[in-house]
Amino acid sequence: LEAARAQLAPSGVLRAAINMSNILLVTGGREAGAEPQGVAPSMAAEIAARLGVRPKLVPFAHPNLICDAANQDAWDIGLVGADPARAQHIDFTPAYCEIQATYMVQASSSATLADIDRPGARIAVKGGGAYDLWLTRHLRHAELVRAETLDASYEVFTSQQLDALAGLRPKLLSDLEKAPGQYKIVDGHFMAVQQAVGSVKQRDGGAAGHDFLRQFIEEAKASGFVQE
């Protein structure tokens, strides 16, 4: 435990980066001065308690900003979707939950998941997210039209009448309510974001902190803590 504490919280405070754009894992605290609530903040608090240190939440507007700050000494752990591109600088635990990513299309569309990636198709997406990284690697024909925020990607999709909007299922379900009957979500999902806990790779190769986090996640899943 001492070695893990020395790696993860050498100052006696565990700085936990959380993604404020994830409406499933951060369910409150978006008002000025409010403390973030939800699964991710609770996980961070429990990890700090296990380490015997004080937690400090470090909110980021988007997940790519968390990953971009990995080598800037801005956080000690990051609760964010794991991805091979991000793993260049971050050690990730196994996933503690998965969030499906799929497409929204016009209600009149007959497109299936397999139909979306076709020549000439244009897909709106919030740039920098785990599903954007996945689509970038896997799409062969369709063009990605990136926006800076989740709401902006919806606006791009609707205003430019694009073929599809890529996103996490919970957010797309809420977007459906903005224009009832006009859009629908295709069956299935093209990937599932692996929500995990990351720590910055140690220059000396030390793994005590990562091993501690990995064990914590396995225990949290086995005990049902994640579902609480």
Side-chain angles (χ1 to χ4, degrees):
L1 184 61
E2 289 294 334
R5 186 185 298 120
Q7 281 189 4
L8 296 174
S11 67
V13 175
L14 181 71
R15 300 168 301 168
I18 58 172
N19 169 23
M20 298 300 290
S21 69
N22 190 315
I23 63 174
L24 187 65
L25 300 182
V26 182
T27 54
R30 290 177 174 79
E31 304 80 11
E35 188 74 3
Q37 308 291 324
V39 173
S42 296
M43 293 273 287
E46 183 63 20
I47 292 170
R50 299 277 185 97
L51 287 170
V53 299
R54 181 171 62 87
K56 179 182 179 182
L57 298 180
V58 185
F60 284 80
H62 305 291
N64 52 304
L65 300 180
I66 295 177
C67 300
D68 290 345
N71 292 321
Q72 299 173 13
D73 192 29
W75 50 266
D76 302 308
I77 63 171
L79 290 95
V80 68
D83 183 86
R86 296 171 174 174
Q88 295 180 32
H89 304 291
I90 301 171
D91 285 326
F92 287 105
T93 66
Y96 61 86
C97 78
E98 297 182 349
I99 308 177
Q100 293 181 355
T102 186
Y103 298 111
M104 177 187 289
V105 296
Q106 297 284 339
S108 59
S109 173
S110 60
T112 65
L113 275 175
D115 298 328
I116 302 295
D117 185 16
R118 64 183 188 277
R122 303 177 72 209
I123 303 170
V125 64
K126 190 272 171 191
Y131 54 90
D132 172 39
L133 297 175
W134 190 95
L135 289 169
T136 299
R137 290 194 298 271
H138 290 87
L139 288 181
R140 294 294 176 262
H141 305 290
E143 174 191 355
L144 291 173
V145 181
R146 295 181 175 86
E148 292 188 3
T149 68
L150 294 173
D151 288 338
S153 66
Y154 173 83
E155 294 301 326
V156 168
F157 166 66
T158 57
S159 65
Q160 298 187 25
Q161 298 184 327
L162 301 188
D163 297 280
L165 167 63
L168 299 180
R169 187 177 295 277
K171 181 62 168 72
L172 294 180
L173 287 171
S174 69
D175 285 341
L176 283 180
E177 300 174 2
K178 298 176 181 179
Q182 193 168 347
Y183 305 107
K184 66 180 181 180
I185 296 175
V186 301
D187 292 336
H189 59 281
F190 59 81
M191 62 90 71
V193 177
Q194 307 293 301
Q195 293 293 332
V197 181
S199 55
V200 179
K201 287 183 180 292
Q202 298 292 309
R203 293 181 179 178
D204 61 4
H210 175 61
D211 289 344
F212 170 85
L213 293 173
R214 186 175 60 225
Q215 182 177 353
F216 168 81
I217 291 300
E218 295 298 352
E219 292 176 358
K221 291 191 294 186
S223 68
F225 176 82
V226 175
Q227 284 77 35
E228 291 179 357

